[in-house]
Amino acid sequence: MERLQKVIANSGVTSRRKAEEMISKGNVRVNGKVVTELGVKVSGNDIIEVDGVTINRDTKKVYYILNKPREVITSVSDDKNRKTVLDCINTDIRVYPVGRLDYDTTGLIILTNDGELANKLMHPSNKIKKTYIAKIEGLLNKDDIDRLKRGINIDDRKVEIVNFKIRDKDLVKNTSLIEITIIEGRNHIVKRIFESLKHPVIRLSRIRLAFLDIKNLKSGEYRELSLKEVKKLYSL
Ligand code: URA
């Protein structure tokens, strides 16, 4: 059972606030009867009409791209009461993150209620490229570079590194900024790549996923993906 205004909002007809107004004004019927009381709960079998038109109970599909801040967990809930990616998005529709970023990793994460697209983006066979900027301890030497070019073994399986670039070096602080593009999504994979080279990651951010980037989103900001972008993701 769900609240009537939520069901109306989820159907994409209008926002939850407008739905409440419409209910109060008597524009909404449940099983043919006008309901003006807010907070009435309805089941999946109830027929809901807004302004005389029966709403489609299939929840509309929504797609968000978020620039995840640090100290936010990529999960829909947390038993330690930490902030989750859902707390960053203002929506009544139940969405979930596609893949994961560590608690201390920032950057691009998609949230949606479209399971088909989520599966597609996460399935290794689709080889979706993800690009990260890693600030690491130390400077890469020739041997490190050769190993990155050959591909690094983690748990006896090679991580295919599509591309990497040294973006910057700080000789005083002895750190480097590396841009690295990979396909797979094993947990902590970028940190583990650099750990195996003895250059621990100090800071990590995902800046691109396929053709999407977070250039225009500040930390904590999000936007809806356009229909064109969703179609393009489906076509990958
Ligand atoms: N690799 C990591 O080590 N951490 C992330 O959050 C994402 C990729």
Side-chain angles (χ1 to χ4, degrees), residues 101-102 105 132 188-191 204:
L101 291 176
D102 295 335
T105 299
Y132 298 84
H188 316 304
I189 197 70
V190 176
K191 290 177 185 166
L204 187 63

Side-chain angles (χ1 to χ4, degrees), residues 123-139:
H123 202 279
S125 66
N126 289 316
K127 296 190 175 267
I128 307 290
K129 290 182 192 162
K130 293 139 206 140
T131 302
Y132 298 84
I133 299 280
K135 182 175 179 184
I136 59 165
E137 279 180 20
L139 311 176

Side-chain angles (χ1 to χ4, degrees), residues 35 60 63 158-159 233:
V35 171
K60 72 166 178 169
Y63 308 85
K158 201 173 233 175
V159 186
L233 286 174

Side-chain angles (χ1 to χ4, degrees), residues 49-141:
E49 286 166 75
V50 176
D51 285 337
V53 179
T54 305
I55 63 164
N56 183 353
R57 296 292 296 273
D58 297 338
T59 304
K60 72 166 178 169
K61 298 280 187 282
V62 289
Y63 308 85
Y64 299 103
I65 174 173
L66 166 71
N67 184 352
K68 178 184 115 44
R70 279 170 77 91
E71 299 185 359
V72 170
I73 186 160
T74 312
S75 172
V76 291
S77 63
D78 184 42
D79 48 15
K80 293 187 199 139
N81 247 340
R82 289 173 296 184
K83 192 170 176 183
T84 74
V85 281
L86 290 197
D87 296 323
C88 301
I89 308 268
N90 184 14
T91 178
D92 286 335
I93 299 178
R94 195 172 302 162
V95 291
Y96 47 85
V98 179
R100 64 186 303 266
L101 291 176
D102 295 335
Y103 187 58
D104 59 353
T105 299
T106 60
L108 192 158
I109 186 105
I110 292 176
L111 294 108
T112 183
N113 56 351
D114 181 346
E116 193 185 341
L117 186 69
N119 287 339
K120 188 176 165 72
L121 294 180
M122 284 193 284
H123 202 279
S125 66
N126 289 316
K127 296 190 175 267
I128 307 290
K129 290 182 192 162
K130 293 139 206 140
T131 302
Y132 298 84
I133 299 280
K135 182 175 179 184
I136 59 165
E137 279 180 20
L139 311 176
L140 297 181
N141 62 25

